[in-house]
Amino acid sequence: MRLKTTLYYLNLAILFNLIIGSAYSFAGPSSTYLSLSEKNKNYWHKLLHIEENSSTSKFDGENFFLAKEGKNHPDLELQATIDAFSEPNKLVGWFQYPVQCVFRERFNFLKEIGLLIGVPETSCPMFEEWKNGLNVNSLTIVFSSSYPNNPSSLFGHTLIRLNQKNKTNDLLDYAVSFSAIPNANDIGIVFAFKGMFGGYRGLVEISKYYTKVNEYSNSESRDLIEYDLNLTPQQVDRFINHVWEIYQTTYADYFFHNENCSSVLADILAVSLDEREGFNKHSRWYFLPVELIKKINNIPELVIKKTLRPSLKKQLEKQLSKLNDQEIFRIKESINSKEIPNDLDKVEMLDGLISYLDYTRYRTKGDFSEEDKALFRKCLIKRSKIKIDSKLYTDYESKNFPEIGHDSKNISTFLSFENNHSQLGFEFKNGYHYLMGRDLGFDPFSQFDFLTGSFLYDKQYNKLNYDHFTIVHLTSLHPYHFYDPQLSWNASVNLNRYYQKDGCELCHQLDLRASGGFTTSVDGPDRLSLFGGFFSEISSHLQKGGRAGPILEVSYLVQLKESVKIGLFSEERFSAIQNFKKDFQNISTIKMNYFPERNKEYKIELKQVSQFGSWNINTRILSLGYGKYF
Amino acid sequence: MKMLITMLALLLSTTAFAVDSSSGCGMGWEIAPKQSLVSSSVRALVDATFSSTIAMTLGTSGCAKHSIVKNEMQGIHFAEANMNSLAIEMAKGNGEFVNGFASVFGCQNAKAFGSMVQNQYTSVLPNEKVTGVELYNNVKNAIKNDSLLSQSCNLI
């Protein structure tokens, strides 16, 4: 009986939906909407956060839509908005303010294009108070570089600073950002899963810029790169009005790849840049912070000034670089003894020690020792008695400005000579940056390679086979310093070739590995690393279906004059499943890449793979390739 | 696929993937009421910079509707949020944070303000456990006792 009733109501609901749906399709878009010029229609879509070639808003909060079907029907939303503005007492949004006061930019726009003739304007003191409090004169887009030694934040972060009129200090400005609101009880893996595949709401937030400087530049030691925008007062006004609309009404379901801090800010900024069509067009299935930065830099005369706010670590390194070896030695002595020698009174040395302790406090977070706290306090008191200004260094390199980096995707073609047998290869990288890539614009010697695959075409047998497929490969080569004693690491999941001369020429294995170790810089832009870790290979071609055990890796990478990169890699794998002495393998590779320009690279690679259980070379591959980023 | 998701999740589980959950004044508290100015922060160090006093003062009142920290609370909020940087720059007698601190007191002469807090360092920061409210009040009193600054700092 209950089932029957349920089915009855279900049928009714379906019927109702069909009627409503067909009624809409018969009626078609409203005449008001159809009468809009193409330019005005585009602007209306921007206000609703509807991407080009779509009719669905990215926002999910119901308060943002005045029509029931407003999320998917901009025409219905237009009509509902016009109707609502005629009802001055209609209260909407989180705080139930008059509708005209909540949707300020919509109101201004519709009034400007003559769709609100005769509609009386409501007074909005709450909006004016908010806007006057922000006191905005201009906008600055701020890019936060990646979190050092953490490729999961390799993409960076963006926010928009609201520069106050007549300001004396950037720190006191406000900043607009779009962030996920995680559940505090979620453990790391749930946090990551929901961030990537949905489960959190993202909100536009406004906070003091100094909280952001503290968080990114100090606490996480990330560079902040500030891009001042050349916008008219009207454009700034539209931006602020629109932020208020969002701020009062809505959220967007957060997705790491395409509804993130940068994509939403780009869409908001598009409202200001109405004459720059295509700004809110997202050309990839993911939208990275660097894309927002490249977009603003590609618009002529939009960015009028770039400023680097160096991370705490960079400031420390700069200070230490100005000291000689003896002075560094004295600082280390003080760190170890927890005392300040009386003669350590040179300002640069004392400032270096203070910066070291400050950086250590942030780096170690809750583990900053009581002895270090006491030393820190002594240093500060001593410093307060020296009436000499600290040197302010401004000679920082701008090599990690994201707009100078290569684009995210890459397509390559290569000639492969495998044991004197030639094949033609094709490779496609979805992103983002790999160890042999050009480092300008990126965290140097880092890797976040995902969804990369290659094919080999064998002309002799007229056969196309897949060569390898990288699901994800992350590497961070972080130089080990006394002031920053961090390990480097490497992790990957691949489908790799199984190189054996046993009639299995193009067989594959699932290869998982994770390793960590020490990295140092020998001289300049280079990295020498020694890693240890574990690997696992799964393949039906292997005895017992797989191998697993320890792995040792040695590598040396050097960047020469920013246009050439050379890498030497050697890894030893020892299977613990069978016999260490009989089941091991060596893979050694020499690579050289040449970058004639930002998005092009020529590649040479020589790889040697030993026979299982022998140091004798089993396979030798020479490949010559050309790749282009886009 | 399952393995891919698990691996990616594991690899990315360490910190924010551009998920910025810093303390701020937004609608977060409205949608997720537990997320106040302080509790929304997942970063321990940032948490640590906000005392319970300031949280109660600003968490859901000062920032709530308009996110504009009230003028009279700006100095306290600034001191609380920037305690680490202020402690260092005050010892040096200058810097961006000290200049910002001078601004919230309405001091036009940031150089004189910097010199004063450097000279009065152990008075305004008597120990490393000073809270933002205490620092703010100590500096405010020091300004009042300074013949030059008491005349020129117009927001005390």
Side-chain angles (χ1 to χ4, degrees):
Chain A
M1 183 62 191
R2 183 173 290 174
L3 181 67
K4 253 187 167 177
T5 314
T6 308
L7 285 172
Y8 173 75
Y9 283 114
L10 189 64
N11 283 331
L12 266 185
I14 292 168
L15 190 63
F16 179 75
N17 273 330
L18 281 173
I19 292 167
I20 294 294
S22 56
Y24 174 77
S25 62
F26 287 137
S30 73
S31 56
T32 313
Y33 179 78
L34 290 174
S35 69
L36 291 179
S37 68
E38 208 50 36
K39 184 186 171 193
N40 288 338
K41 200 179 284 177
N42 283 338
Y43 191 64
W44 180 245
H45 282 209
K46 285 178 183 177
L47 287 177
L48 297 182
H49 284 242
I50 295 170
E51 205 178 315
E52 282 186 22
N53 307 321
S54 169
S55 60
T56 300
S57 171
K58 290 179 186 168
F59 281 132
D60 300 290
E62 289 177 359
N63 285 322
F64 191 65
F65 307 103
L66 294 167
K68 197 176 176 185
E69 298 290 323
K71 180 175 167 67
N72 298 307
H73 296 290
D75 57 319
L76 296 182
E77 184 62 17
L78 177 67
Q79 195 56 55
T81 304
I82 293 168
D83 294 344
F85 283 160
S86 304
E87 301 175 54
N89 295 326
K90 186 180 174 72
L91 304 178
V92 297
W94 303 120
F95 302 107
Q96 292 295 291
Y97 289 149
V99 62
Q100 286 188 16
C101 299
V102 170
F103 294 104
R104 288 310 301 167
E105 187 50 28
R106 288 193 199 181
F107 183 83
N108 290 346
F109 168 62
L110 295 177
K111 190 179 172 188
E112 191 182 309
I113 63 171
L115 291 178
L116 296 179
I117 293 168
V119 174
E121 190 163 348
T122 310
S123 157
C124 302
M126 73 298 287
F127 169 67
E128 295 303 327
E129 184 194 346
W130 179 84
K131 197 169 175 180
N132 291 336
L134 293 177
N135 190 28
V136 184
N137 183 50
S138 61
L139 305 181
T140 296
I141 297 210
V142 182
F143 174 83
S144 164
S145 65
S146 62
Y147 195 166
N149 208 18
N150 185 355
S152 67
S153 75
L154 192 70
F155 299 138
H157 182 63
T158 47
L159 49 103
I160 298 180
R161 195 177 72 212
L162 312 177
N163 301 305
Q164 297 191 352
K165 290 168 188 158
N166 306 318
K167 68 173 177 178
T168 55
N169 196 298
D170 291 341
L171 296 174
L172 296 170
D173 289 331
Y174 286 91
V176 176
S177 57
F178 178 77
S179 331
I181 304 295
N183 185 336
N185 299 322
D186 284 349
I187 58 171
I189 192 166
V190 177
F191 178 70
F193 186 85
K194 285 186 177 177
M196 292 188 78
F197 301 104
Y200 291 136
R201 287 176 173 181
L203 288 166
V204 167
E205 288 199 289
I206 301 180
S207 48
K208 279 289 189 182
Y209 188 53
Y210 55 72
T211 63
K212 298 298 173 189
V213 173
N214 269 325
E215 180 183 351
Y216 295 111
S217 190
N218 296 345
S219 188
E220 297 183 347
S221 209
R222 300 161 73 168
D223 288 338
L224 293 176
I225 303 161
E226 303 164 340
Y227 302 85
D228 292 348
L229 302 186
N230 178 25
L231 298 174
T232 65
Q234 293 74 23
Q235 287 176 309
V236 173
D237 214 44
R238 286 207 297 270
F239 177 87
I240 297 299
N241 295 345
H242 185 53
V243 166
W244 167 262
E245 293 178 337
I246 299 165
Y247 193 56
Q248 287 291 315
T249 57
T250 196
Y251 60 89
D253 291 336
Y254 188 97
F255 291 96
F256 172 61
H257 64 289
N258 68 348
E259 286 191 42
N260 55 37
C261 64
S262 298
S263 67
V264 172
L265 287 187
D267 292 344
I268 296 174
L269 202 60
V271 168
S272 280
L273 307 173
D274 57 339
E275 73 274 26
R276 336 262 195 186
E277 295 305 330
F279 193 81
N280 63 335
K281 189 176 180 181
H282 303 174
S283 53
R284 297 189 176 92
W285 61 271
Y286 55 82
F287 190 95
L288 305 177
V290 62
E291 289 181 62
L292 173 57
I293 302 303
K294 283 181 178 168
K295 274 176 185 281
I296 58 168
N297 278 282
N298 286 339
I299 297 175
E301 298 174 7
L302 179 60
V303 176
I304 49 174
K305 189 183 170 195
K306 301 176 188 179
T307 310
L308 171 68
R309 185 181 286 274
S311 67
L312 205 60
K313 183 181 168 189
K314 218 169 238 184
Q315 293 177 48
L316 167 64
E317 286 177 333
K318 180 62 73 179
Q319 286 178 318
L320 295 180
S321 73
K322 305 291 180 184
L323 301 175
N324 60 39
D325 291 346
Q326 181 61 27
E327 289 168 336
I328 297 278
F329 180 75
R330 299 286 307 285
I331 285 178
K332 286 182 183 173
E333 270 188 335
S334 187
I335 291 165
N336 293 330
S337 67
K338 311 295 178 196
E339 291 295 335
I340 320 171
N342 288 333
D343 57 344
L344 199 151
D345 52 6
K346 184 180 171 186
V347 170
E348 288 79 7
M349 288 173 69
L350 199 50
D351 283 352
L353 181 55
I354 288 169
S355 292
Y356 164 82
L357 291 165
D358 188 32
Y359 179 70
T360 305
R361 174 176 54 181
Y362 281 109
R363 185 179 60 77
T364 56
K365 297 191 164 53
D367 297 328
F368 195 54
S369 70
E370 290 301 319
E371 291 87 354
D372 281 338
K373 283 180 192 169
L375 176 63
F376 200 7
R377 175 78 182 160
K378 282 183 212 167
C379 289
L380 292 175
I381 291 173
K382 188 177 174 80
R383 180 66 184 85
S384 72
K385 291 172 182 164
I386 303 172
K387 312 298 179 191
I388 299 173
D389 284 349
S390 298
K391 284 188 179 166
L392 288 175
Y393 300 106
T394 54
D395 54 331
Y396 290 94
E397 290 181 330
S398 53
K399 288 183 178 176
N400 65 341
F401 280 29
E403 68 274 18
I404 62 173
H406 62 69
D407 290 339
S408 305
K409 292 184 179 178
N410 179 287
I411 189 157
S412 304
T413 179
F414 57 93
L415 267 176
S416 171
F417 303 93
E418 184 169 332
N419 295 334
N420 300 320
H421 181 69
S422 64
Q423 296 175 95
L424 183 64
F426 306 95
E427 185 185 59
F428 176 76
K429 284 179 184 289
N430 244 305
Y432 169 69
H433 181 61
Y434 74 121
L435 270 181
M436 289 302 295
R438 179 176 175 266
D439 275 337
L440 285 180
F442 292 88
D443 194 15
F445 302 103
S446 65
Q447 172 157 309
F448 191 157
D449 216 0
F450 61 91
L451 303 182
T452 291
S454 65
F455 291 89
L456 287 170
Y457 174 67
D458 193 321
K459 195 179 174 187
Q460 189 178 344
Y461 300 105
N462 193 24
K463 205 174 169 187
L464 186 69
N465 290 291
Y466 89 89
D467 182 32
H468 80 268
F469 182 66
T470 298
I471 297 169
V472 64
H473 190 167
L474 299 101
T475 307
S476 177
L477 303 182
H478 190 87
Y480 191 92
H481 296 293
F482 79 93
Y483 55 84
D484 193 24
Q486 290 192 54
L487 295 178
S488 299
W489 57 275
N490 179 25
S492 63
V493 183
N494 296 294
L495 283 167
N496 276 344
R497 287 280 303 283
Y498 160 79
Y499 298 104
Q500 287 303 304
K501 281 180 177 173
D502 54 5
C504 194
E505 292 294 329
L506 276 164
C507 298
H508 292 80
Q509 61 193 12
L510 177 64
D511 180 23
L512 302 99
R513 69 172 172 182
S515 55
F518 293 94
T519 293
T520 187
S521 177
V522 180
D523 182 27
D526 64 357
R527 297 288 187 274
L528 175 64
S529 304
L530 177 63
F531 280 13
F534 299 93
F535 79 96
S536 167
E537 296 170 358
I538 301 166
S539 170
S540 58
H541 306 290
L542 290 163
Q543 283 183 12
K544 297 186 180 178
R547 299 195 306 163
I551 183 170
L552 285 174
E553 298 170 274
V554 185
S555 66
Y556 178 71
L557 285 126
V558 59
Q559 174 95 45
L560 303 172
K561 292 184 178 177
E562 297 171 2
S563 58
V564 176
K565 205 170 194 181
I566 296 171
L568 311 172
F569 307 84
S570 183
E571 63 180 62
E572 281 29 84
R573 297 179 175 214
F574 301 91
S575 176
I577 289 181
Q578 296 185 36
N579 186 332
F580 279 116
K581 289 181 182 172
K582 290 184 179 173
D583 203 9
F584 63 89
Q585 188 178 34
N586 170 266
I587 301 173
S588 296
T589 318
I590 302 172
K591 299 181 182 183
M592 185 170 86
N593 282 14
Y594 168 63
F595 317 104
E597 53 188 78
R598 184 172 71 93
N599 276 330
K600 288 181 182 173
E601 62 186 15
Y602 292 94
K603 304 182 272 192
I604 304 174
E605 178 177 326
L606 177 64
K607 179 189 267 189
Q608 295 192 146
V609 185
S610 78
Q611 184 75 28
F612 284 153
S614 161
W615 296 105
N616 296 331
I617 303 302
N618 172 69
T619 305
R620 183 175 282 130
I621 305 166
L622 171 67
S623 76
L624 308 169
Y626 167 74
K628 182 159 176 51
Y629 291 91
F630 61 100
Chain B
M1 187 60 188
K2 201 173 173 183
M3 186 176 67
L4 164 63
I5 291 168
T6 308
M7 285 303 296
L8 285 173
L10 278 170
L11 290 166
L12 296 169
S13 62
T14 45
T15 56
F17 30 74
V19 170
D20 171 15
S21 45
S22 66
S23 298
C25 317
M27 293 301 144
W29 67 273
E30 176 68 20
I31 291 173
K34 288 179 184 171
Q35 310 287 339
S36 69
L37 179 66
V38 172
S39 64
S40 67
S41 174
V42 295
R43 293 177 174 84
L45 201 72
V46 176
D47 273 351
T49 63
F50 290 90
S51 70
S52 55
T53 315
I54 199 83
M56 284 189 290
T57 313
L58 298 172
T60 52
S61 58
C63 297
K65 289 195 174 183
H66 305 134
S67 112
I68 306 298
V69 179
K70 301 294 182 192
N71 274 344
E72 65 269 22
M73 298 306 296
Q74 272 204 17
I76 296 173
H77 188 258
F78 189 90
E80 189 79 34
N82 301 309
M83 184 62 81
N84 292 340
S85 300
L86 282 173
I88 293 169
E89 290 189 1
M90 284 164 66
K92 296 177 179 177
N94 61 31
E96 190 180 16
F97 285 86
V98 164
N99 292 347
F101 206 23
S103 292
V104 299
F105 287 107
C107 302
Q108 307 300 320
N109 190 341
K111 192 169 172 60
F113 177 86
S115 297
M116 185 278 287
V117 290
Q118 187 184 32
N119 291 332
Q120 304 279 324
Y121 192 75
T122 49
S123 305
V124 295
L125 269 168
N127 57 63
E128 65 267 34
K129 290 178 182 168
V130 168
T131 65
V133 179
E134 289 166 344
L135 174 63
Y136 176 81
N137 287 329
N138 292 345
V139 172
K140 190 175 177 182
N141 289 333
I143 292 172
K144 283 179 180 169
N145 293 330
D146 185 287
S147 57
L148 175 66
L149 294 173
S150 59
Q151 299 300 314
S152 61
C153 298
N154 53 27
L155 290 178
I156 55 168

